[in-house]
């Protein structure tokens, strides 16, 4: 399989070869557009959502095709832990929309995948990504020195110091543009980040912080 094929490219290629099919899958993440989902444990789920017009052939064929890509990716990345494997968590085609969700054990594995299979047309253009507790984030140089706003109230500014005093908070540190959903409620976002419900959209070319519980 040629490098440069992302999950989105796989969707489009599979549709061109096989058409679209039905399928079923369950996940706590139910995206309606291409986006990322991160958890407190550090896992990252990449969702590619595409529109399709045909309604024949099985989604199982699409899943098998995507699995070939993941197998090739894993075989070329022997440096990682053998226990850390990316996996397809949903592959479904319904009502003219196809979704392919791939869950990575950590941000590092996702970034390796994104670097090996780049997609310049995607709205997800992430240069770096990390998900840690706020305390660990401070030790890494995150948060302090940035301007924050309370989720749901862009006019209410919150100091970074006040955020670091709170317990049981996690931070997503991301450089680049993406739509990111967290498994806990978003509490604060750094300047430049926009919110739509529990999905944060980060600006291109900047380092952003998403604080969630």
């Amino acid at each position: 399989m040629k490098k440069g094929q992302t999950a989105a490219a796989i969707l489009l290629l599979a549709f061109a070869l096989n058409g679209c099919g039905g399928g079923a899958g369950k996940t706590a993440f139910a995206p309606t557009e291409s986006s990322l989902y991160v958890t407190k444990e550090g896992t990252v789920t990449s969702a590619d959502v595409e529109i399709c017009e045909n309604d024949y052939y099985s989604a199982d064929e699409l899943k098998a095709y995507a699995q070939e890509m993941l197998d090739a990716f894993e075989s070329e990345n022997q440096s990682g832990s053998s226990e850390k494997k990316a996996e397809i968590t949903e592959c479904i085609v319904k009502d003219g929309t196809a979704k392919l969700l791939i869950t990575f054990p950590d941000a590092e594995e996702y970034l390796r995948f994104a670097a090996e299979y780049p997609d310049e047309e995607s709205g997800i253009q992430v240069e770096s990504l990390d998900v840690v507790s706020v305390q660990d984030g401070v030790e890494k140089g995150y948060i302090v020195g940035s301007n924050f706003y309370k989720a749901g109230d862009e006019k209410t500014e919150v100091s970074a110091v006040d955020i670091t005093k709170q317990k049981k908070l996690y931070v997503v540190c991301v450089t680049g543009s993406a739509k990111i959903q967290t498994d806990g409620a978003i509490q604060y976002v750094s300047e430049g980040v926009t919110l739509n419900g529990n999905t944060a959209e980060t600006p291109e070319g900047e380092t952003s912080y998403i604080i969630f519980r």
Side-chain angles (χ1 to χ4, degrees):
M1 185 168 296
K2 295 181 180 179
K3 291 184 179 181
Q5 290 180 322
T6 61
I10 284 177
L11 278 171
L12 295 175
L13 180 56
F15 296 158
L17 293 174
N18 300 325
C20 297
K26 293 182 179 180
T27 176
F29 179 37
T32 57
E33 57 188 335
S34 296
S35 51
L36 299 177
Y37 177 72
V38 301
T39 70
K40 302 176 185 67
E41 291 74 26
T43 64
V44 178
T45 298
S46 170
D48 286 287
V49 182
E50 302 290 336
I51 302 300
C52 60
E53 298 178 354
N54 299 324
D55 58 357
Y56 46 87
Y57 291 97
S58 171
D60 290 340
E61 293 176 316
L62 173 57
K63 184 176 181 179
Y65 194 82
Q67 189 61 56
E68 285 185 26
M69 176 202 65
L70 284 181
D71 291 343
F73 169 70
E74 294 292 352
S75 67
E76 293 174 3
N77 288 275
Q78 298 296 330
S79 59
S81 170
S82 59
E83 296 181 357
K84 292 185 177 182
K85 299 289 185 181
E87 63 177 351
I88 298 169
T89 47
E90 183 172 3
C91 182
I92 184 172
V93 181
K94 184 178 181 181
D95 298 330
T97 301
K99 296 181 184 180
L100 178 62
L101 274 60
I102 301 177
T103 297
F104 299 85
D106 51 41
E108 182 180 0
E109 189 79 351
Y110 165 73
L111 290 171
R112 278 199 295 266
F113 176 85
E116 190 159 344
Y117 301 95
D119 183 3
E120 296 180 355
E121 296 182 359
S122 171
I124 302 175
Q125 298 295 325
V126 173
E127 299 173 27
S128 64
L129 179 67
D130 195 16
V131 185
V132 294
S133 68
V134 163
Q135 289 78 8
D136 289 342
V138 171
E139 293 182 4
K140 289 186 173 186
Y142 303 161
I143 304 174
V144 178
S146 297
N147 297 322
F148 287 88
Y149 296 88
K150 186 176 181 180
D153 187 355
E154 298 177 353
K155 297 181 180 180
T156 301
E157 188 168 352
V158 180
S159 72
V161 174
D162 287 342
I163 292 174
T164 60
K165 290 179 180 179
Q166 299 182 55
K167 297 180 179 180
K168 298 182 179 180
L169 291 181
Y170 296 81
V171 56
V172 181
C173 175
V174 55
T175 301
S177 60
K179 292 182 179 180
I180 300 175
Q181 182 177 329
T182 60
D183 68 336
I186 295 175
Q187 306 295 305
Y188 312 99
V189 294
S190 60
E191 188 172 12
V193 178
T194 58
L195 276 176
N196 181 11
N198 206 49
T199 299
E201 185 170 358
T202 59
E204 180 181 0
E206 297 183 20
T207 295
S208 304
Y209 300 109
I210 303 165
I211 310 296
F212 67 103
R213 188 174 297 278

